């Protein structure tokens, strides 16, 4: 069974940093590209970042470019999101999501989410 | 950047109704479109990919159609488990954009 489990969320002050982790199991993690998607309270979904299976390609939404860094450790079946210079508007549930291999960019499995709250 | 616009934002319907949600792209995306269902407090669930392909395990009452800039998600006979928020999503050149969502409510 495919499982994605996020951790590392919490309360942080504006300007602070936080690192999210996503532990993957039940599939060959090193074969799949991965994403972070976030959802502000009561709002819609916003794609945040993408990393290819080998980490050779990385992309970010303009809203987080220069502040967030995505990475992965295939030996540990883990995905990460380092978030720096956090702002109130970064408050959201952050989901890790797997890119479907045959589904043209669709995201076929999602974690349960990790809440990040940026507030003083 | 490609923008995705869903309509309506909210839809009130009864069990057994046929429901259609529309998603429009600001430019052509071929068939690089997916639909997701999200229930409160839960992660989104993939329903449809490549505009019209049904994800494994998804009931056949869900269907998708369209291409280029206009797409639809249809639920042929609404069931109690289908009351949720639905999002379309496009993929183009390593950017993903979601529609603003359509909430399907009980009438």
């Amino acid at each position: 069974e495919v499982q994605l489990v996020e951790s590392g969320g919490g309360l942080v002050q504006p300007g602070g940093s936080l690192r999210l982790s996503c532990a993957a199991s039940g599939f060959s993690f090193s074969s799949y590209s991965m994403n972070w998607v976030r959802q502000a309270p009561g709002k819609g979904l916003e794609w945040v970042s993408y990393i290819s299976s080998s980490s050779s390609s990385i992309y970010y939404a303009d809203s987080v470019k220069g502040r967030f860094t995505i990475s992965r450790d295939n030996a540990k079946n883990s995905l990460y999101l380092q978030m720096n210079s956090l702002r109130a508007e970064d408050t959201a549930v952050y989901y890790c999501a797997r890119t479907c291999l045959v589904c043209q960019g669709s995201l076929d499995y999602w974690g349960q989410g990790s809440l990040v709250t940026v507030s003083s | 950047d490609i923008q995705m616009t869903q309509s309506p934002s909210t839809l009130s319907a009864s069990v057994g109704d046929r429901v259609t949600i529309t998603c429009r792209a600001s430019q052509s995306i071929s068939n690089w479109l997916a639909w997701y269902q999200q229930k409160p407090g839960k992660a989104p669930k993939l329903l449809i990919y490549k505009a019209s392909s049904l994800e494994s395990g998804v009931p056949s009452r869900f269907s998708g159609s369209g291409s280029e800039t206009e797409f639809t998600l249809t639920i042929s006979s609404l069931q109690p488990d289908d009351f949720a928020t639905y999002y379309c999503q496009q993929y183009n050149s390593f950017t993903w954009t979601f529609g603003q969502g359509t909430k399907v409510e009980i009438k």
Side-chain angles (χ1 to χ4, degrees):
Chain A
E1 179 193 6
V2 172
Q3 282 199 318
L4 298 169
V5 180
E6 300 94 338
S7 61
L11 176 63
V12 61
Q13 292 189 338
S17 299
L18 210 56
R19 189 196 197 204
L20 300 181
S21 299
C22 172
S25 60
F27 66 103
S28 177
F29 180 72
S30 61
S31 298
Y32 287 82
S33 60
M34 299 292 296
N35 300 265
W36 288 99
V37 177
R38 68 184 180 183
Q39 186 170 36
K43 302 297 184 182
L45 300 166
E46 180 189 14
W47 170 76
V48 171
S49 185
Y50 162 96
I51 186 168
S52 64
S53 57
S54 64
S55 303
S56 59
S57 296
I58 287 175
Y59 298 90
Y60 299 98
D62 288 343
S63 58
V64 306
K65 202 172 294 182
R67 300 187 299 122
F68 289 12
T69 303
I70 191 172
S71 62
R72 64 190 296 161
D73 185 336
N74 286 341
K76 294 183 177 179
N77 290 338
S78 293
L79 175 72
Y80 307 101
L81 186 68
Q82 177 67 43
M83 303 183 293
N84 298 331
S85 303
L86 282 162
R87 307 165 180 167
E89 55 264 36
D90 296 318
T91 294
V93 174
Y94 285 74
Y95 296 100
C96 63
R98 189 180 83 169
T99 312
C100 176
L101 284 179
V102 298
C103 309
Q104 283 186 318
S106 303
L107 307 179
D108 61 351
Y109 283 93
W110 299 59
Q112 85 290 349
S114 183
L115 177 62
V116 172
T117 302
V118 184
S119 175
S120 55
Chain B
D1 290 358
I2 298 175
Q3 308 300 318
M4 306 301 292
T5 303
Q6 283 182 238
S7 60
S9 296
T10 306
L11 187 160
S12 296
S14 301
V15 172
D17 284 353
R18 181 181 181 88
V19 167
T20 299
I21 299 169
T22 298
C23 180
R24 289 187 173 87
S26 60
Q27 65 188 71
S28 176
I29 57 171
S30 183
N31 66 342
W32 295 71
L33 186 104
W35 289 96
Y36 300 85
Q37 177 193 66
Q38 187 180 33
K39 296 180 179 179
K42 300 294 186 181
K45 173 187 174 183
L46 178 64
L47 300 175
I48 302 285
Y49 62 93
K50 286 196 290 188
S52 60
S53 296
L54 193 67
E55 172 70 344
S56 177
V58 174
S60 59
R61 63 181 180 271
F62 291 93
S63 64
S65 65
S67 64
E68 308 298 338
T69 62
E70 187 148 340
F71 303 87
T72 58
L73 172 70
T74 299
I75 308 172
S76 60
S77 178
L78 198 65
Q79 298 302 300
D81 191 49
D82 301 338
F83 292 97
T85 299
Y86 293 84
Y87 294 93
C88 63
Q89 168 247 312
Q90 70 84 26
Y91 161 72
N92 177 266
S93 299
F94 295 104
T95 61
W96 286 254
T97 312
F98 292 89
Q100 80 278 16
T102 294
K103 185 175 183 179
V104 177
E105 297 180 329
I106 300 172
K107 190 173 184 179

